[in-house]
Amino acid sequence: MDHSSLCEMCLHRRWSFCGALVGKSFEQLNNQKGWEQHRTARSGERVANCDQVSEEVLVLCKGWACRFFMLPDGRRQIFNFLMPGDIFSAISVFQERFSFTVDALTEIQITAFQRTEVKRRLSLSASLWAKWIDLVADEVRTADELMVALGRRTAEERVGYLLLHLVRRMSAKGLADKHRYRFPVNQSHIADTLGITSECVCRMLSRFRRRGILELSNGYLEVFDFDELERIGSPRRWS
Amino acid sequence: MDHSSLCEMCLHRRWSFCGALVGKSFEQLNNQKGWEQHRTARSGERVANCDQVSEEVLVLCKGWACRFFMLPDGRRQIFNFLMPGDIFSAISVFQERFSFTVDALTEIQITAFQRTEVKRRLSLSASLWAKWIDLVADEVRTADELMVALGRRTAEERVGYLLLHLVRRMSAKGLADKHRYRFPVNQSHIADTLGITSECVCRMLSRFRRRGILELSNGYLEVFDFDELERIGSPRRWS
DNA sequence: CGGCAGTTTGATGTTACTCAATTTAAGTGG
DNA sequence: CCACTTAAATTGAGTAACATCAAACTGCCG
């Protein structure tokens, strides 16, 4: 991993938790050098390792990554995809070792904060606490939805759910151009998130394509029939 | 639901988060009547409803329950089983409406705390905060393990995993008599936790029985070969 | 112009689902 | 305590959904 200081203008500063973490109210505080470190990594690089002890809280500030667990025989379960502004895992602020692995899906930039200092700032600011709790709540909701998908929904519903979920997150982050999205997630990633094979994902995608619902190719996702996608994939409806 | 005050001697007071929540250090504080309410419910009764707005934080203090989400067409995904001392959901302390449903598996006793007062006590005690954070971390770990099981493990591994997980929790709570456990979870519950059918669960259980690993019948679970169960079900190994 | 990773498609296999019948256990009221 | 009722567990046969395997195809990059 390259230890340059490239991301001076890290976009993540604008977003809720990270923005508050580095906010003005802390300027006068113990702002020692090294409490915030910037790094970059290339597509495919591993940027956090399961069981690794770390004094850092990692935040993705540019690009995409995925957070997963790998069984010793190679089976992989992806928990979620990280987009700019996302903390790797909210609870990891209070855990000395990672319980997951993270791989970059694109070129990425990361900010690494010192865990002790993050905790100190949390203890000093009620509004920062509130934002952290919102992050935890989001992660719990996402995990619950994925569990429902994995346990009780068909392959078609699962793929619909995941694409819908990601499209909503991208829109919320302003990563959309109309209904067209940069989408660096390939079919094995989708498969390993949804508990199916990449061939099955491919078949579901071509089914969607044939029905004019969406098009996913060459790293771009375009949604033509959002209503239909919701009918298939909404976490609260059936198909 | 019966609103009696039967569980004066609620066992849960001994346990970490609840013990701290009602601990001595708070005696002198605003201990108004009604901040803590006791209830009972019969087996099968619904004790919390998805989307229900509630000012209460619920804790199970006797018996078993299960927390789940139900799709509109009846498919059910169980997230976890609640044992004495368990809070229904740690993050629900900060959410005004339930994002899950809870059914009693046995006769149960519940303590309902006023949410506002729980939050106030959390804000006053760093050690209480720490305990709440431990609860969240446990829930996240459990959810991650279940996602791996649902997404990437075989039916046999899933059943092995769940039984192992529950046996460990029961042991930790002192609910074991040697290797024999009271076990009010039926095969449909196991199925709806693990994303398989109850018939499939039945076949996996008889497979385990034939191999002399365990016996599950008449509301009791007995484990004969713990090592083999671990080989099959450990969240970090393969079979 | 290769070489490579990812996608697509088809043929075949397997796991777990569905449906149905039977057995066992758990209540319930007399 | 026993007859009766009902829910849960068990077993088997047939099936569907998805996995596996293999081959061809596409787009991308140096």
PDB file of all heavy atoms in Angstrom, chain C residues 7-20:
ATOM      1  P    DT C   7     -18.270 -10.010 -14.773  1.00  0.00           P
ATOM      2  OP1  DT C   7     -18.975  -8.758 -14.501  1.00  0.00           O
ATOM      3  OP2  DT C   7     -18.210 -11.101 -13.771  1.00  0.00           O
ATOM      4  O5'  DT C   7     -18.850 -10.627 -16.119  1.00  0.00           O
ATOM      5  C5'  DT C   7     -18.799  -9.852 -17.301  1.00  0.00           C
ATOM      6  C4'  DT C   7     -19.360 -10.645 -18.451  1.00  0.00           C
ATOM      7  O4'  DT C   7     -18.508 -11.766 -18.755  1.00  0.00           O
ATOM      8  C3'  DT C   7     -20.761 -11.228 -18.207  1.00  0.00           C
ATOM      9  O3'  DT C   7     -21.578 -10.744 -19.264  1.00  0.00           O
ATOM     10  C2'  DT C   7     -20.549 -12.745 -18.252  1.00  0.00           C
ATOM     11  C1'  DT C   7     -19.299 -12.875 -19.106  1.00  0.00           C
ATOM     12  N1   DT C   7     -18.437 -14.069 -18.914  1.00  0.00           N
ATOM     13  C2   DT C   7     -18.253 -14.920 -19.981  1.00  0.00           C
ATOM     14  O2   DT C   7     -18.768 -14.751 -21.074  1.00  0.00           O
ATOM     15  N3   DT C   7     -17.428 -15.991 -19.732  1.00  0.00           N
ATOM     16  C4   DT C   7     -16.783 -16.284 -18.539  1.00  0.00           C
ATOM     17  O4   DT C   7     -16.065 -17.273 -18.432  1.00  0.00           O
ATOM     18  C5   DT C   7     -17.021 -15.340 -17.462  1.00  0.00           C
ATOM     19  C7   DT C   7     -16.367 -15.570 -16.138  1.00  0.00           C
ATOM     20  C6   DT C   7     -17.831 -14.291 -17.695  1.00  0.00           C
ATOM     21  P    DT C   8     -23.151 -10.964 -19.290  1.00  0.00           P
ATOM     22  OP1  DT C   8     -23.737  -9.882 -20.067  1.00  0.00           O
ATOM     23  OP2  DT C   8     -23.609 -11.239 -17.907  1.00  0.00           O
ATOM     24  O5'  DT C   8     -23.282 -12.296 -20.140  1.00  0.00           O
ATOM     25  C5'  DT C   8     -22.870 -12.287 -21.497  1.00  0.00           C
ATOM     26  C4'  DT C   8     -22.935 -13.693 -22.054  1.00  0.00           C
ATOM     27  O4'  DT C   8     -21.924 -14.503 -21.442  1.00  0.00           O
ATOM     28  C3'  DT C   8     -24.256 -14.418 -21.829  1.00  0.00           C
ATOM     29  O3'  DT C   8     -24.866 -14.589 -23.099  1.00  0.00           O
ATOM     30  C2'  DT C   8     -23.858 -15.748 -21.176  1.00  0.00           C
ATOM     31  C1'  DT C   8     -22.373 -15.840 -21.489  1.00  0.00           C
ATOM     32  N1   DT C   8     -21.525 -16.600 -20.537  1.00  0.00           N
ATOM     33  C2   DT C   8     -20.804 -17.673 -21.009  1.00  0.00           C
ATOM     34  O2   DT C   8     -20.840 -18.050 -22.160  1.00  0.00           O
ATOM     35  N3   DT C   8     -20.016 -18.296 -20.069  1.00  0.00           N
ATOM     36  C4   DT C   8     -19.884 -17.958 -18.735  1.00  0.00           C
ATOM     37  O4   DT C   8     -19.145 -18.595 -17.986  1.00  0.00           O
ATOM     38  C5   DT C   8     -20.667 -16.819 -18.301  1.00  0.00           C
ATOM     39  C7   DT C   8     -20.593 -16.368 -16.872  1.00  0.00           C
ATOM     40  C6   DT C   8     -21.435 -16.210 -19.211  1.00  0.00           C
ATOM     41  P    DT C   9     -26.361 -15.090 -23.261  1.00  0.00           P
ATOM     42  OP1  DT C   9     -26.857 -14.536 -24.530  1.00  0.00           O
ATOM     43  OP2  DT C   9     -27.092 -14.850 -22.003  1.00  0.00           O
ATOM     44  O5'  DT C   9     -26.180 -16.656 -23.444  1.00  0.00           O
ATOM     45  C5'  DT C   9     -25.325 -17.127 -24.471  1.00  0.00           C
ATOM     46  C4'  DT C   9     -25.136 -18.612 -24.315  1.00  0.00           C
ATOM     47  O4'  DT C   9     -24.170 -18.870 -23.286  1.00  0.00           O
ATOM     48  C3'  DT C   9     -26.391 -19.399 -23.922  1.00  0.00           C
ATOM     49  O3'  DT C   9     -26.785 -20.178 -25.026  1.00  0.00           O
ATOM     50  C2'  DT C   9     -25.962 -20.238 -22.722  1.00  0.00           C
ATOM     51  C1'  DT C   9     -24.444 -20.134 -22.738  1.00  0.00           C
ATOM     52  N1   DT C   9     -23.773 -20.182 -21.412  1.00  0.00           N
ATOM     53  C2   DT C   9     -22.721 -21.045 -21.232  1.00  0.00           C
ATOM     54  O2   DT C   9     -22.305 -21.785 -22.100  1.00  0.00           O
ATOM     55  N3   DT C   9     -22.150 -21.017 -19.983  1.00  0.00           N
ATOM     56  C4   DT C   9     -22.531 -20.204 -18.923  1.00  0.00           C
ATOM     57  O4   DT C   9     -21.937 -20.262 -17.853  1.00  0.00           O
ATOM     58  C5   DT C   9     -23.638 -19.320 -19.182  1.00  0.00           C
ATOM     59  C7   DT C   9     -24.133 -18.418 -18.093  1.00  0.00           C
ATOM     60  C6   DT C   9     -24.208 -19.351 -20.403  1.00  0.00           C
ATOM     61  P    DG C  10     -28.093 -21.140 -24.985  1.00  0.00           P
ATOM     62  OP1  DG C  10     -28.606 -21.215 -26.355  1.00  0.00           O
ATOM     63  OP2  DG C  10     -28.968 -20.721 -23.867  1.00  0.00           O
ATOM     64  O5'  DG C  10     -27.441 -22.543 -24.616  1.00  0.00           O
ATOM     65  C5'  DG C  10     -26.359 -23.024 -25.392  1.00  0.00           C
ATOM     66  C4'  DG C  10     -25.917 -24.371 -24.851  1.00  0.00           C
ATOM     67  O4'  DG C  10     -25.098 -24.162 -23.670  1.00  0.00           O
ATOM     68  C3'  DG C  10     -27.067 -25.284 -24.425  1.00  0.00           C
ATOM     69  O3'  DG C  10     -26.814 -26.583 -24.954  1.00  0.00           O
ATOM     70  C2'  DG C  10     -27.006 -25.272 -22.906  1.00  0.00           C
ATOM     71  C1'  DG C  10     -25.517 -25.042 -22.650  1.00  0.00           C
ATOM     72  N9   DG C  10     -25.190 -24.426 -21.376  1.00  0.00           N
ATOM     73  C8   DG C  10     -25.792 -23.327 -20.798  1.00  0.00           C
ATOM     74  N7   DG C  10     -25.259 -22.998 -19.652  1.00  0.00           N
ATOM     75  C5   DG C  10     -24.253 -23.930 -19.465  1.00  0.00           C
ATOM     76  C6   DG C  10     -23.331 -24.083 -18.393  1.00  0.00           C
ATOM     77  O6   DG C  10     -23.214 -23.396 -17.372  1.00  0.00           O
ATOM     78  N1   DG C  10     -22.482 -25.167 -18.598  1.00  0.00           N
ATOM     79  C2   DG C  10     -22.500 -25.994 -19.692  1.00  0.00           C
ATOM     80  N2   DG C  10     -21.614 -26.970 -19.716  1.00  0.00           N
ATOM     81  N3   DG C  10     -23.352 -25.861 -20.700  1.00  0.00           N
ATOM     82  C4   DG C  10     -24.198 -24.815 -20.516  1.00  0.00           C
ATOM     83  P    DA C  11     -27.847 -27.804 -24.840  1.00  0.00           P
ATOM     84  OP1  DA C  11     -27.959 -28.421 -26.181  1.00  0.00           O
ATOM     85  OP2  DA C  11     -29.055 -27.359 -24.110  1.00  0.00           O
ATOM     86  O5'  DA C  11     -27.031 -28.786 -23.883  1.00  0.00           O
ATOM     87  C5'  DA C  11     -25.637 -29.012 -24.100  1.00  0.00           C
ATOM     88  C4'  DA C  11     -25.131 -29.962 -23.030  1.00  0.00           C
ATOM     89  O4'  DA C  11     -24.823 -29.215 -21.835  1.00  0.00           O
ATOM     90  C3'  DA C  11     -26.149 -31.034 -22.602  1.00  0.00           C
ATOM     91  O3'  DA C  11     -25.451 -32.235 -22.336  1.00  0.00           O
ATOM     92  C2'  DA C  11     -26.790 -30.425 -21.370  1.00  0.00           C
ATOM     93  C1'  DA C  11     -25.592 -29.705 -20.750  1.00  0.00           C
ATOM     94  N9   DA C  11     -25.931 -28.554 -19.910  1.00  0.00           N
ATOM     95  C8   DA C  11     -26.929 -27.629 -20.107  1.00  0.00           C
ATOM     96  N7   DA C  11     -26.974 -26.697 -19.179  1.00  0.00           N
ATOM     97  C5   DA C  11     -25.944 -27.032 -18.324  1.00  0.00           C
ATOM     98  C6   DA C  11     -25.468 -26.432 -17.143  1.00  0.00           C
ATOM     99  N6   DA C  11     -25.980 -25.331 -16.597  1.00  0.00           N
ATOM    100  N1   DA C  11     -24.421 -27.020 -16.524  1.00  0.00           N
ATOM    101  C2   DA C  11     -23.897 -28.134 -17.068  1.00  0.00           C
ATOM    102  N3   DA C  11     -24.250 -28.784 -18.171  1.00  0.00           N
ATOM    103  C4   DA C  11     -25.295 -28.167 -18.755  1.00  0.00           C
ATOM    104  P    DT C  12     -26.253 -33.571 -21.882  1.00  0.00           P
ATOM    105  OP1  DT C  12     -25.554 -34.716 -22.471  1.00  0.00           O
ATOM    106  OP2  DT C  12     -27.709 -33.354 -22.055  1.00  0.00           O
ATOM    107  O5'  DT C  12     -25.950 -33.587 -20.321  1.00  0.00           O
ATOM    108  C5'  DT C  12     -24.584 -33.573 -19.879  1.00  0.00           C
ATOM    109  C4'  DT C  12     -24.563 -33.438 -18.370  1.00  0.00           C
ATOM    110  O4'  DT C  12     -25.023 -32.137 -17.985  1.00  0.00           O
ATOM    111  C3'  DT C  12     -25.430 -34.446 -17.612  1.00  0.00           C
ATOM    112  O3'  DT C  12     -24.584 -35.109 -16.679  1.00  0.00           O
ATOM    113  C2'  DT C  12     -26.503 -33.584 -16.957  1.00  0.00           C
ATOM    114  C1'  DT C  12     -25.743 -32.276 -16.781  1.00  0.00           C
ATOM    115  N1   DT C  12     -26.567 -31.047 -16.582  1.00  0.00           N
ATOM    116  C2   DT C  12     -26.254 -30.238 -15.518  1.00  0.00           C
ATOM    117  O2   DT C  12     -25.348 -30.470 -14.738  1.00  0.00           O
ATOM    118  N3   DT C  12     -27.040 -29.122 -15.395  1.00  0.00           N
ATOM    119  C4   DT C  12     -28.086 -28.746 -16.217  1.00  0.00           C
ATOM    120  O4   DT C  12     -28.712 -27.727 -16.005  1.00  0.00           O
ATOM    121  C5   DT C  12     -28.368 -29.635 -17.310  1.00  0.00           C
ATOM    122  C7   DT C  12     -29.484 -29.328 -18.251  1.00  0.00           C
ATOM    123  C6   DT C  12     -27.603 -30.739 -17.441  1.00  0.00           C
ATOM    124  P    DG C  13     -25.139 -36.196 -15.662  1.00  0.00           P
ATOM    125  OP1  DG C  13     -24.153 -37.290 -15.587  1.00  0.00           O
ATOM    126  OP2  DG C  13     -26.565 -36.465 -15.952  1.00  0.00           O
ATOM    127  O5'  DG C  13     -25.031 -35.378 -14.296  1.00  0.00           O
ATOM    128  C5'  DG C  13     -23.837 -34.616 -14.024  1.00  0.00           C
ATOM    129  C4'  DG C  13     -23.881 -34.115 -12.600  1.00  0.00           C
ATOM    130  O4'  DG C  13     -24.689 -32.921 -12.537  1.00  0.00           O
ATOM    131  C3'  DG C  13     -24.490 -35.097 -11.593  1.00  0.00           C
ATOM    132  O3'  DG C  13     -23.720 -34.969 -10.396  1.00  0.00           O
ATOM    133  C2'  DG C  13     -25.926 -34.605 -11.429  1.00  0.00           C
ATOM    134  C1'  DG C  13     -25.793 -33.112 -11.664  1.00  0.00           C
ATOM    135  N9   DG C  13     -26.927 -32.457 -12.316  1.00  0.00           N
ATOM    136  C8   DG C  13     -27.604 -32.865 -13.432  1.00  0.00           C
ATOM    137  N7   DG C  13     -28.557 -32.048 -13.792  1.00  0.00           N
ATOM    138  C5   DG C  13     -28.501 -31.021 -12.856  1.00  0.00           C
ATOM    139  C6   DG C  13     -29.282 -29.845 -12.723  1.00  0.00           C
ATOM    140  O6   DG C  13     -30.204 -29.467 -13.450  1.00  0.00           O
ATOM    141  N1   DG C  13     -28.888 -29.091 -11.623  1.00  0.00           N
ATOM    142  C2   DG C  13     -27.868 -29.416 -10.769  1.00  0.00           C
ATOM    143  N2   DG C  13     -27.630 -28.576  -9.772  1.00  0.00           N
ATOM    144  N3   DG C  13     -27.130 -30.508 -10.875  1.00  0.00           N
ATOM    145  C4   DG C  13     -27.501 -31.259 -11.940  1.00  0.00           C
ATOM    146  P    DT C  14     -23.966 -35.945  -9.170  1.00  0.00           P
ATOM    147  OP1  DT C  14     -22.643 -36.385  -8.707  1.00  0.00           O
ATOM    148  OP2  DT C  14     -25.036 -36.926  -9.520  1.00  0.00           O
ATOM    149  O5'  DT C  14     -24.552 -34.958  -8.078  1.00  0.00           O
ATOM    150  C5'  DT C  14     -24.049 -33.638  -8.000  1.00  0.00           C
ATOM    151  C4'  DT C  14     -24.863 -32.846  -6.997  1.00  0.00           C
ATOM    152  O4'  DT C  14     -25.976 -32.210  -7.643  1.00  0.00           O
ATOM    153  C3'  DT C  14     -25.451 -33.675  -5.846  1.00  0.00           C
ATOM    154  O3'  DT C  14     -25.212 -32.921  -4.690  1.00  0.00           O
ATOM    155  C2'  DT C  14     -26.923 -33.783  -6.212  1.00  0.00           C
ATOM    156  C1'  DT C  14     -27.154 -32.448  -6.905  1.00  0.00           C
ATOM    157  N1   DT C  14     -28.262 -32.352  -7.894  1.00  0.00           N
ATOM    158  C2   DT C  14     -28.999 -31.181  -7.950  1.00  0.00           C
ATOM    159  O2   DT C  14     -28.790 -30.233  -7.225  1.00  0.00           O
ATOM    160  N3   DT C  14     -29.981 -31.170  -8.902  1.00  0.00           N
ATOM    161  C4   DT C  14     -30.300 -32.195  -9.792  1.00  0.00           C
ATOM    162  O4   DT C  14     -31.191 -32.063 -10.605  1.00  0.00           O
ATOM    163  C5   DT C  14     -29.492 -33.390  -9.672  1.00  0.00           C
ATOM    164  C7   DT C  14     -29.752 -34.542 -10.568  1.00  0.00           C
ATOM    165  C6   DT C  14     -28.529 -33.412  -8.735  1.00  0.00           C
ATOM    166  P    DT C  15     -25.311 -33.571  -3.240  1.00  0.00           P
ATOM    167  OP1  DT C  15     -23.953 -33.895  -2.779  1.00  0.00           O
ATOM    168  OP2  DT C  15     -26.379 -34.602  -3.251  1.00  0.00           O
ATOM    169  O5'  DT C  15     -25.827 -32.323  -2.386  1.00  0.00           O
ATOM    170  C5'  DT C  15     -25.560 -31.008  -2.840  1.00  0.00           C
ATOM    171  C4'  DT C  15     -26.769 -30.138  -2.587  1.00  0.00           C
ATOM    172  O4'  DT C  15     -27.756 -30.346  -3.611  1.00  0.00           O
ATOM    173  C3'  DT C  15     -27.449 -30.404  -1.252  1.00  0.00           C
ATOM    174  O3'  DT C  15     -27.533 -29.175  -0.569  1.00  0.00           O
ATOM    175  C2'  DT C  15     -28.813 -30.998  -1.646  1.00  0.00           C
ATOM    176  C1'  DT C  15     -29.031 -30.418  -3.032  1.00  0.00           C
ATOM    177  N1   DT C  15     -29.884 -31.211  -3.970  1.00  0.00           N
ATOM    178  C2   DT C  15     -30.821 -30.563  -4.750  1.00  0.00           C
ATOM    179  O2   DT C  15     -31.018 -29.358  -4.701  1.00  0.00           O
ATOM    180  N3   DT C  15     -31.518 -31.369  -5.606  1.00  0.00           N
ATOM    181  C4   DT C  15     -31.387 -32.737  -5.755  1.00  0.00           C
ATOM    182  O4   DT C  15     -32.074 -33.350  -6.563  1.00  0.00           O
ATOM    183  C5   DT C  15     -30.395 -33.354  -4.909  1.00  0.00           C
ATOM    184  C7   DT C  15     -30.192 -34.827  -4.994  1.00  0.00           C
ATOM    185  C6   DT C  15     -29.703 -32.585  -4.065  1.00  0.00           C
ATOM    186  P    DA C  16     -27.931 -29.081   0.953  1.00  0.00           P
ATOM    187  OP1  DA C  16     -27.183 -27.944   1.518  1.00  0.00           O
ATOM    188  OP2  DA C  16     -27.854 -30.427   1.552  1.00  0.00           O
ATOM    189  O5'  DA C  16     -29.461 -28.668   0.869  1.00  0.00           O
ATOM    190  C5'  DA C  16     -29.793 -27.510   0.126  1.00  0.00           C
ATOM    191  C4'  DA C  16     -31.230 -27.571  -0.281  1.00  0.00           C
ATOM    192  O4'  DA C  16     -31.448 -28.680  -1.178  1.00  0.00           O
ATOM    193  C3'  DA C  16     -32.224 -27.757   0.864  1.00  0.00           C
ATOM    194  O3'  DA C  16     -33.135 -26.691   0.800  1.00  0.00           O
ATOM    195  C2'  DA C  16     -32.844 -29.115   0.593  1.00  0.00           C
ATOM    196  C1'  DA C  16     -32.729 -29.209  -0.918  1.00  0.00           C
ATOM    197  N9   DA C  16     -32.794 -30.560  -1.481  1.00  0.00           N
ATOM    198  C8   DA C  16     -32.137 -31.685  -1.071  1.00  0.00           C
ATOM    199  N7   DA C  16     -32.417 -32.745  -1.781  1.00  0.00           N
ATOM    200  C5   DA C  16     -33.322 -32.293  -2.729  1.00  0.00           C
ATOM    201  C6   DA C  16     -33.995 -32.931  -3.788  1.00  0.00           C
ATOM    202  N6   DA C  16     -33.866 -34.222  -4.073  1.00  0.00           N
ATOM    203  N1   DA C  16     -34.826 -32.160  -4.536  1.00  0.00           N
ATOM    204  C2   DA C  16     -34.961 -30.866  -4.249  1.00  0.00           C
ATOM    205  N3   DA C  16     -34.379 -30.159  -3.290  1.00  0.00           N
ATOM    206  C4   DA C  16     -33.563 -30.934  -2.553  1.00  0.00           C
ATOM    207  P    DC C  17     -34.484 -26.568   1.563  1.00  0.00           P
ATOM    208  OP1  DC C  17     -34.632 -25.175   1.993  1.00  0.00           O
ATOM    209  OP2  DC C  17     -34.549 -27.670   2.539  1.00  0.00           O
ATOM    210  O5'  DC C  17     -35.567 -26.818   0.408  1.00  0.00           O
ATOM    211  C5'  DC C  17     -35.547 -25.968  -0.726  1.00  0.00           C
ATOM    212  C4'  DC C  17     -36.786 -26.197  -1.570  1.00  0.00           C
ATOM    213  O4'  DC C  17     -36.719 -27.511  -2.155  1.00  0.00           O
ATOM    214  C3'  DC C  17     -38.093 -26.130  -0.797  1.00  0.00           C
ATOM    215  O3'  DC C  17     -39.057 -25.424  -1.578  1.00  0.00           O
ATOM    216  C2'  DC C  17     -38.460 -27.587  -0.584  1.00  0.00           C
ATOM    217  C1'  DC C  17     -37.861 -28.266  -1.805  1.00  0.00           C
ATOM    218  N1   DC C  17     -37.405 -29.662  -1.564  1.00  0.00           N
ATOM    219  C2   DC C  17     -37.877 -30.689  -2.387  1.00  0.00           C
ATOM    220  O2   DC C  17     -38.671 -30.418  -3.294  1.00  0.00           O
ATOM    221  N3   DC C  17     -37.451 -31.951  -2.165  1.00  0.00           N
ATOM    222  C4   DC C  17     -36.580 -32.220  -1.182  1.00  0.00           C
ATOM    223  N4   DC C  17     -36.197 -33.475  -1.021  1.00  0.00           N
ATOM    224  C5   DC C  17     -36.088 -31.169  -0.346  1.00  0.00           C
ATOM    225  C6   DC C  17     -36.518 -29.928  -0.561  1.00  0.00           C
ATOM    226  P    DT C  18     -40.526 -25.130  -0.969  1.00  0.00           P
ATOM    227  OP1  DT C  18     -40.977 -23.856  -1.555  1.00  0.00           O
ATOM    228  OP2  DT C  18     -40.457 -25.317   0.485  1.00  0.00           O
ATOM    229  O5'  DT C  18     -41.435 -26.303  -1.565  1.00  0.00           O
ATOM    230  C5'  DT C  18     -41.355 -26.630  -2.931  1.00  0.00           C
ATOM    231  C4'  DT C  18     -42.323 -27.759  -3.230  1.00  0.00           C
ATOM    232  O4'  DT C  18     -41.696 -29.037  -2.962  1.00  0.00           O
ATOM    233  C3'  DT C  18     -43.619 -27.744  -2.429  1.00  0.00           C
ATOM    234  O3'  DT C  18     -44.683 -27.895  -3.352  1.00  0.00           O
ATOM    235  C2'  DT C  18     -43.488 -28.927  -1.470  1.00  0.00           C
ATOM    236  C1'  DT C  18     -42.575 -29.864  -2.255  1.00  0.00           C
ATOM    237  N1   DT C  18     -41.709 -30.782  -1.464  1.00  0.00           N
ATOM    238  C2   DT C  18     -41.606 -32.102  -1.860  1.00  0.00           C
ATOM    239  O2   DT C  18     -42.208 -32.565  -2.807  1.00  0.00           O
ATOM    240  N3   DT C  18     -40.763 -32.865  -1.093  1.00  0.00           N
ATOM    241  C4   DT C  18     -40.034 -32.449   0.001  1.00  0.00           C
ATOM    242  O4   DT C  18     -39.304 -33.228   0.602  1.00  0.00           O
ATOM    243  C5   DT C  18     -40.180 -31.061   0.365  1.00  0.00           C
ATOM    244  C7   DT C  18     -39.435 -30.516   1.534  1.00  0.00           C
ATOM    245  C6   DT C  18     -41.005 -30.304  -0.372  1.00  0.00           C
ATOM    246  P    DC C  19     -46.236 -27.697  -2.928  1.00  0.00           P
ATOM    247  OP1  DC C  19     -46.914 -27.106  -4.090  1.00  0.00           O
ATOM    248  OP2  DC C  19     -46.285 -27.060  -1.596  1.00  0.00           O
ATOM    249  O5'  DC C  19     -46.746 -29.198  -2.776  1.00  0.00           O
ATOM    250  C5'  DC C  19     -46.415 -30.157  -3.767  1.00  0.00           C
ATOM    251  C4'  DC C  19     -46.763 -31.537  -3.275  1.00  0.00           C
ATOM    252  O4'  DC C  19     -45.656 -32.075  -2.507  1.00  0.00           O
ATOM    253  C3'  DC C  19     -47.991 -31.614  -2.364  1.00  0.00           C
ATOM    254  O3'  DC C  19     -48.849 -32.614  -2.876  1.00  0.00           O
ATOM    255  C2'  DC C  19     -47.413 -31.956  -0.989  1.00  0.00           C
ATOM    256  C1'  DC C  19     -46.172 -32.752  -1.381  1.00  0.00           C
ATOM    257  N1   DC C  19     -45.090 -32.833  -0.366  1.00  0.00           N
ATOM    258  C2   DC C  19     -44.341 -34.008  -0.263  1.00  0.00           C
ATOM    259  O2   DC C  19     -44.612 -34.950  -1.021  1.00  0.00           O
ATOM    260  N3   DC C  19     -43.353 -34.075   0.646  1.00  0.00           N
ATOM    261  C4   DC C  19     -43.100 -33.029   1.444  1.00  0.00           C
ATOM    262  N4   DC C  19     -42.106 -33.159   2.328  1.00  0.00           N
ATOM    263  C5   DC C  19     -43.851 -31.814   1.363  1.00  0.00           C
ATOM    264  C6   DC C  19     -44.824 -31.753   0.441  1.00  0.00           C
ATOM    265  P    DA C  20     -50.322 -32.868  -2.247  1.00  0.00           P
ATOM    266  OP1  DA C  20     -51.225 -33.100  -3.399  1.00  0.00           O
ATOM    267  OP2  DA C  20     -50.613 -31.837  -1.243  1.00  0.00           O
ATOM    268  O5'  DA C  20     -50.122 -34.254  -1.494  1.00  0.00           O
ATOM    269  C5'  DA C  20     -49.358 -35.280  -2.118  1.00  0.00           C
ATOM    270  C4'  DA C  20     -49.156 -36.412  -1.138  1.00  0.00           C
ATOM    271  O4'  DA C  20     -47.964 -36.157  -0.343  1.00  0.00           O
ATOM    272  C3'  DA C  20     -50.304 -36.597  -0.133  1.00  0.00           C
ATOM    273  O3'  DA C  20     -50.600 -37.978  -0.033  1.00  0.00           O
ATOM    274  C2'  DA C  20     -49.734 -36.054   1.165  1.00  0.00           C
ATOM    275  C1'  DA C  20     -48.259 -36.402   1.009  1.00  0.00           C
ATOM    276  N9   DA C  20     -47.339 -35.615   1.825  1.00  0.00           N
ATOM    277  C8   DA C  20     -47.410 -34.278   2.127  1.00  0.00           C
ATOM    278  N7   DA C  20     -46.436 -33.850   2.894  1.00  0.00           N
ATOM    279  C5   DA C  20     -45.663 -34.985   3.110  1.00  0.00           C
ATOM    280  C6   DA C  20     -44.486 -35.207   3.840  1.00  0.00           C
ATOM    281  N6   DA C  20     -43.847 -34.242   4.513  1.00  0.00           N
ATOM    282  N1   DA C  20     -43.978 -36.464   3.841  1.00  0.00           N
ATOM    283  C2   DA C  20     -44.626 -37.422   3.160  1.00  0.00           C
ATOM    284  N3   DA C  20     -45.734 -37.337   2.439  1.00  0.00           N
ATOM    285  C4   DA C  20     -46.213 -36.084   2.454  1.00  0.00           C
TER     286       DA C  20
END
